[in-house]
Amino acid sequence: MKSWFSSSILCFGLLPSMAFADEVEVAQQCLEYTNLSCAQKVRDQLDAEGRTDKAYLQTKAKILFHEGKYAELEEVLSAMEYPKEDEDPSLPYRKTISASLGMVNYYRDDISIRHSDGIEVILAEEAYETLREAREQYKIIFGGVPDHDLVMDIFPTASRFIDASSIPPDAVRTTGVIALSKWNRLLLTSPRAKASGYGWKDTAAHEYIHLVVSWLTDDQTPVWLHEGLAKYFEARWRGESQNYLSVFQQSLLAKAIRDDAFVPFEKFRYSMAYLDSGEEAALAYAQVSTMVHFLQTKRGEEVFPIMMGRLRAQEDPMELMASLAGYSDFETFRSNWKTFIRELPLVQEQLKALPPALDGQGGDFADDPLLSQRTDLAKFMRIGDLLLEIKRPKAALVEFMKVDEEEGPPSPTLLHRKARCYMELNNLPKALRFAQEGVRLYPEYVDLQMILGEVQEKRGYSMESVKHWQAAHDLNPFNP
């Protein structure tokens, strides 16, 4: 049956002009172009017409999955006599329904935040505020945002995120991928699932940028450019602009400049999740985000809505990047980009990433890049911790010095313990030095933000204390 409806979809510009055999095919194409509103309009019309054939129910199930309406999805799957196991791994209907069990919904201003009941409720309001501000900021930067409800699922454990995301567990645990923008939804792992928490608010904004860019470009943007845009602008929702590179990424980029050893584009063409290590993924993010920064310095932010339109028109992304920056080809762009990044004030220390310690696995020091690999050194830390518990900070320092004598990446745990010892000895200058050094190198390590706040409070700098405690809260709001 061919009705007026599919042609009206085309006339209103919801899809590129093309011929369709059936409205179901129209709905499928809407989803292919990440146009959920278009698919919803088709679905509502076909529901009104009473369509119940299998082809339509399959498409309706997919639309409900994109909407995150899992209860209604279950009803359609039952009507289809869908098996208890997922038929298509790329559409994890059953696993997502199972992973979302027990989650409740916080809905406000067309933003839907689903989270586990109980203690996870503290995430809802701040998640909403993050996405609301992100929506306003990125509408200006990119020239528009999706016109459907914004849905974000916050899964309480990494294992439930893995089930709902269809990302292989090894990829998650190798590169530390704990969030995703897919199926017109945002999927996030709760900060409670990671040993020290993580910057989950910026991560939520990062994933929302992916949703915006896909929607504006009919999903014509390659992964490398997607990630560059998302990384560069992920903190813009809260007003940050230049601090888009972590200290660890800066150290990797500085080394890559010295050795001329960058990650090839071909290696992360399809996804950052399948790179060889967390270090390689971090360097790849640094490369592509500094390219976006370079473009922004050349043309200003008004270039990004132009970029969205030309990507939607299916221009070659690499040549487009060069053209927008004023260069004749991408190799010339890359050559000038390398000159640009050599002038950035990058941290030169060689650091290691905080390990992706998820769901309580890995022991006491699972999130420490040195101690997680050196059980021989970890024993000195444990002895020192016992001495700290019985108020023997001088004796604890003796044990901690044994760790300090070893080669390896700086230990954030060790920097924290030294700062605590000196604070308890009332040597505030030394406590401040170790705490500040720790936060400079590992700003995402909660205990360091906490101890620096305590030291500043003892020094009488209340506003500085609040700043660091707020940073700690933003990383892990579950820390008592």
Side-chain angles (χ1 to χ4, degrees):
M1 178 180 67
K2 182 79 171 173
S3 75
W4 61 271
F5 194 70
S6 60
S7 59
S8 68
I9 292 277
L10 301 178
C11 289
F12 285 107
L14 293 175
L15 284 177
S17 179
M18 56 182 72
F20 295 97
D22 185 81
E23 288 86 345
V24 170
E25 189 179 344
V26 174
Q28 291 279 7
Q29 288 294 321
C30 290
L31 294 179
E32 287 292 322
Y33 282 90
T34 66
N35 195 331
L36 180 57
S37 297
C38 165
Q40 289 169 326
K41 287 181 171 65
V42 179
R43 186 265 316 277
D44 293 345
Q45 175 67 21
L46 295 179
D47 276 346
E49 293 177 2
R51 282 282 291 268
T52 58
D53 56 279
K54 185 175 181 180
Y56 170 57
L57 290 179
Q58 288 174 333
T59 299
K60 183 175 182 178
K62 188 180 291 188
I63 294 169
L64 290 167
F65 181 63
H66 280 243
E67 292 175 308
K69 295 181 177 179
Y70 305 133
E72 293 178 47
L73 172 62
E74 181 62 63
E75 293 177 4
V76 174
L77 295 180
S78 297
M80 292 166 53
E81 298 183 347
Y82 193 85
K84 295 299 181 184
E85 300 291 332
D86 290 313
E87 293 181 322
D88 182 355
S90 68
L91 292 172
Y93 294 158
R94 293 295 189 193
K95 285 187 173 182
T96 299
I97 291 170
S98 177
S100 66
L101 290 176
M103 292 172 68
V104 295
N105 191 31
Y106 178 100
Y107 184 82
R108 185 174 168 189
D109 297 335
D110 301 326
I111 297 174
S112 181
I113 310 292
R114 274 94 66 93
H115 57 85
S116 279
D117 206 358
I119 193 173
E120 299 267 326
V121 72
I122 67 174
L123 299 174
E125 181 68 24
E126 292 185 46
Y128 158 75
E129 290 173 355
T130 298
L131 292 181
R132 179 195 62 189
E133 191 60 37
R135 189 168 60 183
E136 294 304 311
Q137 290 294 324
Y138 301 137
K139 183 177 182 179
I140 296 169
I141 291 170
F142 296 108
V145 294
D147 55 0
H148 54 77
D149 281 3
L150 174 53
V151 176
M152 182 165 74
D153 291 328
I154 305 177
F155 296 99
T157 65
S159 59
R160 286 170 71 169
F161 165 78
I162 289 169
D163 284 345
S165 69
S166 77
I167 297 177
D170 288 346
V172 172
R173 301 190 187 281
T174 298
T175 60
V177 175
I178 49 178
L180 191 67
S181 176
K182 198 171 185 179
W183 306 299
N184 287 290
R185 292 181 279 113
L186 310 183
L187 293 77
L188 213 69
T189 305
S190 168
R192 192 158 63 103
K194 199 168 183 186
S196 287
Y198 70 101
W200 66 278
K201 294 180 181 180
D202 284 357
T203 299
H206 179 111
E207 299 305 331
Y208 180 57
I209 292 171
H210 287 312
L211 190 65
V212 171
V213 171
S214 291
W215 185 78
L216 286 171
T217 66
D218 287 343
D219 206 22
Q220 300 299 310
T221 306
V223 165
W224 65 269
L225 184 50
H226 248 297
E227 297 296 354
L229 292 165
K231 182 62 185 167
Y232 181 66
F233 286 112
E234 67 181 19
R236 183 61 62 85
W237 70 274
R238 54 185 169 87
E240 292 284 338
S241 57
Q242 297 306 312
N243 297 325
Y244 62 97
L245 290 178
S246 70
V247 176
F248 175 56
Q249 286 175 317
Q250 292 180 44
S251 71
L252 290 175
L253 192 58
K255 185 176 185 299
I257 292 169
R258 287 195 302 270
D259 301 343
D260 195 24
F262 297 94
V263 183
F265 281 144
E266 294 74 17
K267 201 163 185 180
F268 51 86
R269 180 179 178 185
Y270 297 107
S271 177
M272 296 282 193
Y274 303 102
L275 290 169
D276 294 340
S277 66
E279 288 192 2
E280 193 171 59
L283 176 56
Y285 276 112
Q287 290 174 209
V288 293
S289 57
T290 51
M291 285 184 177
V292 173
H293 184 190
F294 179 46
L295 174 62
Q296 189 265 339
T297 61
K298 298 286 290 184
R299 288 288 305 275
E301 285 189 8
E302 61 271 17
V303 75
F304 295 106
I306 298 170
M307 173 185 278
M308 297 299 103
R310 291 174 65 174
L311 286 169
R312 186 171 185 169
Q314 301 187 31
E315 288 193 35
D316 179 88
M318 294 169 72
E319 296 306 314
L320 172 60
M321 193 82 156
S323 172
L324 291 173
Y327 299 105
S328 59
D329 56 71
F330 191 70
E331 284 308 309
T332 306
F333 171 86
R334 283 189 65 187
S335 176
N336 283 272
W337 160 73
K338 287 183 179 180
T339 301
F340 169 75
I341 60 175
R342 288 189 187 100
E343 297 172 356
L344 294 177
L346 302 173
V347 168
Q348 300 295 315
E349 289 96 335
Q350 292 306 297
L351 305 174
K352 284 190 176 294
L354 297 180
L358 301 170
D359 294 347
Q361 298 177 354
D364 294 340
F365 305 114
D367 59 342
D368 188 289
L370 175 64
L371 300 175
S372 61
Q373 304 297 317
R374 295 288 303 274
T375 56
D376 57 324
L377 300 182
K379 68 182 180 181
F380 298 125
M381 291 298 302
R382 291 191 178 93
I383 296 170
D385 284 347
L386 289 172
L387 290 167
L388 266 179
E389 285 181 19
I390 61 173
K391 306 299 181 184
R392 299 286 299 278
K394 279 188 178 180
L397 272 173
V398 172
E399 297 301 319
F400 296 148
M401 290 300 181
K402 295 175 184 177
V403 180
D404 201 25
E405 292 171 0
E406 299 291 336
E407 293 184 359
S411 164
T413 309
L414 179 61
L415 291 166
H416 169 264
R417 299 299 198 271
K418 284 185 174 182
R420 178 158 294 285
C421 285
Y422 284 116
M423 186 177 72
E424 293 192 10
L425 291 168
N426 208 32
N427 187 337
L428 294 184
K430 275 197 172 182
L432 180 66
R433 179 163 63 85
F434 282 110
Q436 286 181 328
E437 179 69 359
V439 167
R440 183 182 74 85
L441 296 176
Y442 299 103
E444 68 277 28
Y445 200 78
V446 166
D447 287 348
L448 285 167
Q449 294 285 1
M450 291 291 292
I451 192 68
L452 185 50
E454 291 180 60
V455 172
Q456 295 289 31
E457 182 189 36
K458 281 202 166 191
R459 296 177 69 236
Y461 292 88
S462 300
M463 294 306 294
E464 283 294 308
S465 296
V466 170
K467 182 180 75 172
H468 293 292
W469 287 334
Q470 180 66 55
H473 170 81
D474 287 345
L475 292 166
N476 184 8
F478 302 102
N479 187 317

